């Protein structure tokens, strides 16, 4: 299965995890990420996502997202 995650999904782990909804969204993103890394699913990426990620004002987030 090919998965498309909006850039906001990649930024979710950096948000305040106190609200239940945010924490569940983060956990969901991390599960999907693990499935992609395990080769069970493929991640769809675009040049627009590259543009959005590299224009993030936080260098640490850029580095983590691009990994």
């Amino acid at each position: 299965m090919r998965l498309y995650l909006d850039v906001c999904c990649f930024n979710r782990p950096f948000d305040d995890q106190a609200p239940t909804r945010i924490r569940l969204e983060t956990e969901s993103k991390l599960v999907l990420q693990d499935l992609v890394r395990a080769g069970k699913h493929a991640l769809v990426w675009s040049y627009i996502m590259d543009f959005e990620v590299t224009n993030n004002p936080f260098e640490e987030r850029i580095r983590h997202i691009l990994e």
Side-chain angles (χ1 to χ4, degrees):
M1 177 183 296
R2 293 184 301 174
L3 302 173
Y4 170 82
L5 301 176
D6 194 78
V7 173
C8 67
C9 295
F10 291 96
N11 282 298
R12 184 54 86 200
F14 298 102
D15 295 335
D16 177 12
Q17 299 297 305
T20 302
R21 180 179 63 86
I22 304 300
R23 190 172 58 258
L24 290 173
E25 289 175 357
T26 298
E27 290 176 20
S28 298
K29 183 267 182 190
L30 295 174
V31 166
L32 292 173
Q33 178 179 298
D34 288 343
L35 291 171
V36 168
R37 286 184 173 168
K40 295 182 180 181
H41 298 296
L43 182 65
V44 177
W45 195 264
S46 71
Y47 70 94
I48 295 297
M49 293 175 71
D50 281 330
F51 176 78
E52 289 180 28
V53 170
T54 56
N55 282 292
N56 190 316
F58 303 101
E59 275 297 318
E60 178 183 357
R61 292 183 186 191
I62 295 171
R63 192 172 58 255
H64 284 284
I65 292 170
L66 293 177
E67 286 178 359

